[in-house]
Amino acid sequence: MGNKKVLRMVQIALFIAIIFIMTFTPLGYLRLGLLEISLLTIPVGVGAMIFSPAAGAVLGLAFGLISFARFFGMNPFGAVLVGINPFYAFLVAVPTRTLMGFLTGVIFKAMSRGRSAKTARYYIAGFCAPFLNTVFFMGVMVLCYWNTEYFQNLNSTMGNLNPLMFICAFVGVNAVVEILAGSVVGGTVAKILHKALKNT
């Protein structure tokens, strides 16, 4: 039992290393407009599926903390958020990603109890990781920053939208690409790894 726990810790640590490597290489982010397209939900989602909801929370926390660290000099938009209110910036980056990883694992685990849709569960959970990441990130950001001068000025350039339409316009293509990548790549990788780990 002890060896299994050690092995699991090592496996999760490897996923954290992957998140770290992706963060600081072109593998993790694609710049498009004001926001970045993040592919880091993929290792978080995969880990949540093949390990557990708790592991998903740990990987989401790692993703969030590293993302928050990038707000200090590596992410121009994140730097704006920190400049307005650093505590709000922390809430936008860290708890949102932690919850995303946990809930992705919970959703996958719930779908695993039935006998049907054994393959579909990987792609559904793969969809959930980037989708929940976008919903939580943008939801908390709008909740915390909506009434600030920066966001009101930004919204005025978009035609003074309501908060929901602002979110849709703001994320746009970025969210679509993240969700497609998470669904297809994340679901496929999770299915392959899950099967491989069961056979070891």
Side-chain angles (χ1 to χ4, degrees), residues 65-81:
L65 289 172
I66 295 172
S67 298
F68 182 62
R70 292 183 72 250
F71 285 1
F72 296 87
M74 294 185 65
N75 183 323
F77 182 68
V80 171
L81 298 184

Side-chain angles (χ1 to χ4, degrees), residues 28-53:
Y29 290 94
L30 300 174
R31 185 68 60 81
L32 183 62
L34 193 58
L35 284 182
E36 295 173 317
I37 295 175
S38 172
L39 302 178
L40 294 173
T41 58
I42 294 175
V44 176
V46 171
M49 285 186 266
I50 66 175
F51 298 132
S52 68

Side-chain angles (χ1 to χ4, degrees), residues 13-31:
L14 286 174
F15 270 73
I16 293 175
I18 290 171
I19 292 171
F20 187 86
I21 292 169
M22 289 180 67
T23 299
F24 296 103
T25 65
L27 295 173
Y29 290 94
L30 300 174
R31 185 68 60 81

